[in-house]
Amino acid sequence: MKAVVLNYGVGNLFSISSALRKHGLEVEILNEPKEADLVVLPGVGAFNAVGTFLERWRDELNELRKSGTRFLGVCLGMQVLFEEGNEGGRTRGLGWLPGRVDLLVNAPKLPHIGWDVLVEGTPCEMNEGLQGKYAYFVHSYVAYTPEKPAMTSVYGVEFPALVCKGEVVGTQFHPEKSGETGKVFFSNLMRWLKT
């Protein structure tokens, strides 16, 4: 199975690619979308920069999604799946999930860096075995959405930690840096890709 990790000038490309390879995927890092079993939108960076980059590929990404390609967004990559974000100025996201991305409210300290517990929300095959497990987060912004996510976590406010909708999955946490919790997540991901 093949995965394409989109390189839009942010960090985290190699750690997520390495984790995907360890779980059996053939990985390419590319500057543009390409047909694959999985397209990965990695994390680290600012919403406005990534949203602007993805704007030029909006039609291609929508076509890939319609053709059955699966998508994984990690951290910032998950955030750009939503309608818009306010980091660095109001910017349009892909709009595949309803909601907007904004600063974490009532946070004891920003950025939120560290381990926090995952709590199951809406059942989804991606959250199997993750209830009560700790995952690693690095972020200051979260998605505010009217839909109940697959999993939540709390840091000042409850926020989506894992979202699943059709062929799209997003994690606010970094599965590639989450040890045993990450291994469970990637096992779920591989099973999902084979369905």
mmCIF file of all heavy atoms in Angstrom, residues 71 78 81-82 97 122-128 147-151 162-171 185 192:
data_model
loop_
_atom_site.group_PDB
_atom_site.id
_atom_site.type_symbol
_atom_site.label_atom_id
_atom_site.label_comp_id
_atom_site.label_asym_id
_atom_site.label_seq_id
_atom_site.Cartn_x
_atom_site.Cartn_y
_atom_site.Cartn_z
ATOM 1 N N PHE A 71 -7.546 9.950 3.492
ATOM 2 C CA PHE A 71 -6.718 11.074 3.951
ATOM 3 C C PHE A 71 -6.489 10.993 5.451
ATOM 4 O O PHE A 71 -7.400 10.663 6.207
ATOM 5 C CB PHE A 71 -7.403 12.412 3.632
ATOM 6 C CG PHE A 71 -7.302 12.810 2.190
ATOM 7 C CD1 PHE A 71 -8.177 12.285 1.248
ATOM 8 C CD2 PHE A 71 -6.320 13.688 1.764
ATOM 9 C CE1 PHE A 71 -8.080 12.632 -0.090
ATOM 10 C CE2 PHE A 71 -6.215 14.045 0.426
ATOM 11 C CZ PHE A 71 -7.099 13.511 -0.508
ATOM 12 N N MET A 78 -4.751 18.075 10.496
ATOM 13 C CA MET A 78 -6.155 17.846 10.840
ATOM 14 C C MET A 78 -6.922 19.165 10.803
ATOM 15 O O MET A 78 -8.042 19.231 10.308
ATOM 16 C CB MET A 78 -6.288 17.229 12.237
ATOM 17 C CG MET A 78 -7.744 17.017 12.654
ATOM 18 S SD MET A 78 -7.953 16.569 14.389
ATOM 19 C CE MET A 78 -8.541 18.116 15.067
ATOM 20 N N LEU A 81 -8.480 20.459 7.616
ATOM 21 C CA LEU A 81 -9.640 19.718 7.101
ATOM 22 C C LEU A 81 -10.942 20.475 7.368
ATOM 23 O O LEU A 81 -11.960 20.206 6.737
ATOM 24 C CB LEU A 81 -9.733 18.337 7.760
ATOM 25 C CG LEU A 81 -8.545 17.391 7.542
ATOM 26 C CD1 LEU A 81 -8.710 16.145 8.410
ATOM 27 C CD2 LEU A 81 -8.391 17.017 6.071
ATOM 28 N N PHE A 82 -10.898 21.435 8.308
ATOM 29 C CA PHE A 82 -12.088 22.196 8.686
ATOM 30 C C PHE A 82 -12.300 23.386 7.748
ATOM 31 O O PHE A 82 -11.508 23.618 6.831
ATOM 32 C CB PHE A 82 -11.982 22.629 10.150
ATOM 33 C CG PHE A 82 -12.143 21.479 11.103
ATOM 34 C CD1 PHE A 82 -11.057 20.701 11.479
ATOM 35 C CD2 PHE A 82 -13.398 21.145 11.600
ATOM 36 C CE1 PHE A 82 -11.208 19.606 12.331
ATOM 37 C CE2 PHE A 82 -13.560 20.062 12.455
ATOM 38 C CZ PHE A 82 -12.463 19.290 12.819
ATOM 39 N N LEU A 97 -14.726 19.102 6.916
ATOM 40 C CA LEU A 97 -15.359 18.939 8.225
ATOM 41 C C LEU A 97 -15.920 20.293 8.645
ATOM 42 O O LEU A 97 -15.300 21.335 8.371
ATOM 43 C CB LEU A 97 -14.336 18.458 9.263
ATOM 44 C CG LEU A 97 -13.624 17.129 8.967
ATOM 45 C CD1 LEU A 97 -12.479 16.917 9.943
ATOM 46 C CD2 LEU A 97 -14.594 15.966 9.013
ATOM 47 N N THR A 122 -17.659 9.779 19.578
ATOM 48 C CA THR A 122 -18.444 9.004 18.624
ATOM 49 C C THR A 122 -17.672 7.753 18.215
ATOM 50 O O THR A 122 -16.506 7.861 17.837
ATOM 51 C CB THR A 122 -18.720 9.857 17.367
ATOM 52 O OG1 THR A 122 -19.340 11.063 17.766
ATOM 53 C CG2 THR A 122 -19.624 9.127 16.398
ATOM 54 N N PRO A 123 -18.294 6.577 18.275
ATOM 55 C CA PRO A 123 -17.587 5.358 17.873
ATOM 56 C C PRO A 123 -17.099 5.437 16.421
ATOM 57 O O PRO A 123 -17.777 5.964 15.553
ATOM 58 C CB PRO A 123 -18.637 4.260 18.035
ATOM 59 C CG PRO A 123 -19.625 4.805 19.005
ATOM 60 C CD PRO A 123 -19.653 6.281 18.773
ATOM 61 N N CYS A 124 -15.899 4.908 16.210
ATOM 62 C CA CYS A 124 -15.257 4.954 14.898
ATOM 63 C C CYS A 124 -14.161 3.892 14.938
ATOM 64 O O CYS A 124 -13.551 3.686 15.979
ATOM 65 C CB CYS A 124 -14.686 6.357 14.706
ATOM 66 S SG CYS A 124 -13.254 6.525 13.659
ATOM 67 N N GLU A 125 -13.922 3.224 13.813
ATOM 68 C CA GLU A 125 -12.922 2.150 13.857
ATOM 69 C C GLU A 125 -11.523 2.662 14.176
ATOM 70 O O GLU A 125 -10.658 1.904 14.625
ATOM 71 C CB GLU A 125 -12.921 1.364 12.545
ATOM 72 C CG GLU A 125 -12.669 2.184 11.312
ATOM 73 C CD GLU A 125 -12.984 1.402 10.037
ATOM 74 O OE1 GLU A 125 -12.440 0.299 9.861
ATOM 75 O OE2 GLU A 125 -13.767 1.903 9.228
ATOM 76 N N MET A 126 -11.296 3.959 14.003
ATOM 77 C CA MET A 126 -9.972 4.517 14.274
ATOM 78 C C MET A 126 -9.695 4.694 15.768
ATOM 79 O O MET A 126 -8.554 4.900 16.160
ATOM 80 C CB MET A 126 -9.828 5.877 13.576
ATOM 81 C CG MET A 126 -9.803 5.774 12.068
ATOM 82 S SD MET A 126 -8.508 4.699 11.443
ATOM 83 C CE MET A 126 -7.099 5.464 12.143
ATOM 84 N N ASN A 127 -10.729 4.702 16.606
ATOM 85 C CA ASN A 127 -10.456 4.919 18.030
ATOM 86 C C ASN A 127 -10.458 3.634 18.854
ATOM 87 O O ASN A 127 -10.375 3.671 20.072
ATOM 88 C CB ASN A 127 -11.392 5.980 18.637
ATOM 89 C CG ASN A 127 -12.859 5.604 18.590
ATOM 90 O OD1 ASN A 127 -13.216 4.460 18.320
ATOM 91 N ND2 ASN A 127 -13.721 6.578 18.852
ATOM 92 N N GLU A 128 -10.516 2.490 18.169
ATOM 93 C CA GLU A 128 -10.518 1.215 18.878
ATOM 94 C C GLU A 128 -9.241 1.051 19.717
ATOM 95 O O GLU A 128 -8.129 1.225 19.225
ATOM 96 C CB GLU A 128 -10.620 0.071 17.874
ATOM 97 C CG GLU A 128 -10.904 -1.264 18.523
ATOM 98 C CD GLU A 128 -11.169 -2.348 17.497
ATOM 99 O OE1 GLU A 128 -11.974 -2.116 16.571
ATOM 100 O OE2 GLU A 128 -10.557 -3.405 17.620
ATOM 101 N N GLU A 147 -19.992 19.027 15.379
ATOM 102 C CA GLU A 147 -20.106 17.567 15.394
ATOM 103 C C GLU A 147 -19.303 16.965 16.534
ATOM 104 O O GLU A 147 -18.225 17.466 16.878
ATOM 105 C CB GLU A 147 -19.617 16.986 14.058
ATOM 106 C CG GLU A 147 -20.491 17.378 12.898
ATOM 107 C CD GLU A 147 -20.101 16.699 11.601
ATOM 108 O OE1 GLU A 147 -19.001 16.122 11.520
ATOM 109 O OE2 GLU A 147 -20.898 16.779 10.652
ATOM 110 N N LYS A 148 -19.829 15.881 17.094
ATOM 111 C CA LYS A 148 -19.109 15.204 18.168
ATOM 112 C C LYS A 148 -17.954 14.409 17.559
ATOM 113 O O LYS A 148 -18.179 13.564 16.694
ATOM 114 C CB LYS A 148 -20.047 14.277 18.945
ATOM 115 C CG LYS A 148 -19.419 13.739 20.210
ATOM 116 C CD LYS A 148 -20.435 13.038 21.085
ATOM 117 C CE LYS A 148 -19.761 12.632 22.399
ATOM 118 N NZ LYS A 148 -20.647 11.833 23.246
ATOM 119 N N PRO A 149 -16.719 14.669 17.983
ATOM 120 C CA PRO A 149 -15.588 13.962 17.384
ATOM 121 C C PRO A 149 -15.468 12.524 17.880
ATOM 122 O O PRO A 149 -16.124 12.126 18.849
ATOM 123 C CB PRO A 149 -14.383 14.797 17.828
ATOM 124 C CG PRO A 149 -14.837 15.516 19.052
ATOM 125 C CD PRO A 149 -16.315 15.685 18.951
ATOM 126 N N ALA A 150 -14.606 11.768 17.224
ATOM 127 C CA ALA A 150 -14.377 10.373 17.611
ATOM 128 C C ALA A 150 -13.720 10.284 18.983
ATOM 129 O O ALA A 150 -14.005 9.385 19.767
ATOM 130 C CB ALA A 150 -13.514 9.678 16.567
ATOM 131 N N MET A 151 -12.820 11.228 19.278
ATOM 132 C CA MET A 151 -12.181 11.285 20.599
ATOM 133 C C MET A 151 -11.909 12.743 20.947
ATOM 134 O O MET A 151 -11.711 13.580 20.062
ATOM 135 C CB MET A 151 -10.859 10.511 20.623
ATOM 136 C CG MET A 151 -10.999 9.058 20.255
ATOM 137 S SD MET A 151 -9.713 7.992 20.965
ATOM 138 C CE MET A 151 -10.429 7.607 22.556
ATOM 139 N N LEU A 162 -9.412 13.377 17.868
ATOM 140 C CA LEU A 162 -9.456 12.459 16.735
ATOM 141 C C LEU A 162 -10.795 12.644 16.034
ATOM 142 O O LEU A 162 -11.837 12.659 16.683
ATOM 143 C CB LEU A 162 -9.310 11.010 17.222
ATOM 144 C CG LEU A 162 -9.498 9.889 16.194
ATOM 145 C CD1 LEU A 162 -8.401 9.902 15.143
ATOM 146 C CD2 LEU A 162 -9.520 8.528 16.894
ATOM 147 N N VAL A 163 -10.744 12.828 14.724
ATOM 148 C CA VAL A 163 -11.972 12.960 13.937
ATOM 149 C C VAL A 163 -11.969 11.910 12.829
ATOM 150 O O VAL A 163 -10.911 11.567 12.293
ATOM 151 C CB VAL A 163 -12.132 14.382 13.325
ATOM 152 C CG1 VAL A 163 -12.356 15.423 14.407
ATOM 153 C CG2 VAL A 163 -10.924 14.758 12.475
ATOM 154 N N CYS A 164 -13.143 11.388 12.528
ATOM 155 C CA CYS A 164 -13.310 10.385 11.463
ATOM 156 C C CYS A 164 -14.571 10.743 10.693
ATOM 157 O O CYS A 164 -15.625 10.907 11.298
ATOM 158 C CB CYS A 164 -13.542 8.991 12.046
ATOM 159 S SG CYS A 164 -12.323 8.387 13.187
ATOM 160 N N LYS A 165 -14.444 10.843 9.393
ATOM 161 C CA LYS A 165 -15.633 11.090 8.571
ATOM 162 C C LYS A 165 -15.395 10.517 7.184
ATOM 163 O O LYS A 165 -14.614 11.065 6.415
ATOM 164 C CB LYS A 165 -15.924 12.591 8.484
ATOM 165 C CG LYS A 165 -17.262 12.891 7.823
ATOM 166 C CD LYS A 165 -17.622 14.349 7.963
ATOM 167 C CE LYS A 165 -19.037 14.595 7.485
ATOM 168 N NZ LYS A 165 -19.419 16.009 7.671
ATOM 169 N N GLY A 166 -16.039 9.383 6.908
ATOM 170 C CA GLY A 166 -15.865 8.757 5.602
ATOM 171 C C GLY A 166 -14.425 8.382 5.352
ATOM 172 O O GLY A 166 -13.821 7.617 6.099
ATOM 173 N N GLU A 167 -13.843 8.959 4.305
ATOM 174 C CA GLU A 167 -12.473 8.634 3.933
ATOM 175 C C GLU A 167 -11.441 9.582 4.556
ATOM 176 O O GLU A 167 -10.286 9.600 4.161
ATOM 177 C CB GLU A 167 -12.323 8.633 2.401
ATOM 178 C CG GLU A 167 -12.684 9.916 1.686
ATOM 179 C CD GLU A 167 -14.160 10.278 1.755
ATOM 180 O OE1 GLU A 167 -15.013 9.470 1.392
ATOM 181 O OE2 GLU A 167 -14.427 11.391 2.233
ATOM 182 N N VAL A 168 -11.874 10.353 5.577
ATOM 183 C CA VAL A 168 -10.998 11.347 6.189
ATOM 184 C C VAL A 168 -10.834 11.085 7.689
ATOM 185 O O VAL A 168 -11.811 10.904 8.411
ATOM 186 C CB VAL A 168 -11.581 12.772 5.983
ATOM 187 C CG1 VAL A 168 -10.742 13.817 6.698
ATOM 188 C CG2 VAL A 168 -11.684 13.093 4.495
ATOM 189 N N VAL A 169 -9.577 11.077 8.132
ATOM 190 C CA VAL A 169 -9.253 10.915 9.552
ATOM 191 C C VAL A 169 -8.285 12.015 9.936
ATOM 192 O O VAL A 169 -7.389 12.366 9.156
ATOM 193 C CB VAL A 169 -8.597 9.528 9.816
ATOM 194 C CG1 VAL A 169 -7.984 9.463 11.202
ATOM 195 C CG2 VAL A 169 -9.606 8.419 9.643
ATOM 196 N N GLY A 170 -8.455 12.569 11.135
ATOM 197 C CA GLY A 170 -7.523 13.578 11.616
ATOM 198 C C GLY A 170 -7.209 13.385 13.084
ATOM 199 O O GLY A 170 -8.075 12.983 13.859
ATOM 200 N N THR A 171 -5.966 13.648 13.449
ATOM 201 C CA THR A 171 -5.559 13.593 14.857
ATOM 202 C C THR A 171 -4.959 14.930 15.257
ATOM 203 O O THR A 171 -4.095 15.454 14.550
ATOM 204 C CB THR A 171 -4.497 12.497 15.110
ATOM 205 O OG1 THR A 171 -3.301 12.812 14.392
ATOM 206 C CG2 THR A 171 -4.997 11.126 14.696
ATOM 207 N N PHE A 185 -2.883 3.343 17.287
ATOM 208 C CA PHE A 185 -3.501 4.179 16.248
ATOM 209 C C PHE A 185 -3.093 3.700 14.861
ATOM 210 O O PHE A 185 -3.929 3.545 13.965
ATOM 211 C CB PHE A 185 -3.131 5.650 16.429
ATOM 212 C CG PHE A 185 -3.599 6.501 15.281
ATOM 213 C CD1 PHE A 185 -4.909 6.937 15.203
ATOM 214 C CD2 PHE A 185 -2.736 6.808 14.227
ATOM 215 C CE1 PHE A 185 -5.366 7.668 14.110
ATOM 216 C CE2 PHE A 185 -3.175 7.538 13.129
ATOM 217 C CZ PHE A 185 -4.496 7.970 13.079
ATOM 218 N N TRP A 192 -8.044 0.085 8.686
ATOM 219 C CA TRP A 192 -8.997 0.964 7.987
ATOM 220 C C TRP A 192 -8.660 1.061 6.505
ATOM 221 O O TRP A 192 -9.540 1.021 5.637
ATOM 222 C CB TRP A 192 -8.954 2.332 8.661
ATOM 223 C CG TRP A 192 -9.779 3.397 8.027
ATOM 224 C CD1 TRP A 192 -11.138 3.438 7.899
ATOM 225 C CD2 TRP A 192 -9.294 4.634 7.459
ATOM 226 N NE1 TRP A 192 -11.524 4.627 7.289
ATOM 227 C CE2 TRP A 192 -10.422 5.366 7.019
ATOM 228 C CE3 TRP A 192 -8.022 5.190 7.309
ATOM 229 C CZ2 TRP A 192 -10.305 6.612 6.409
ATOM 230 C CZ3 TRP A 192 -7.900 6.436 6.710
ATOM 231 C CH2 TRP A 192 -9.034 7.133 6.271
#
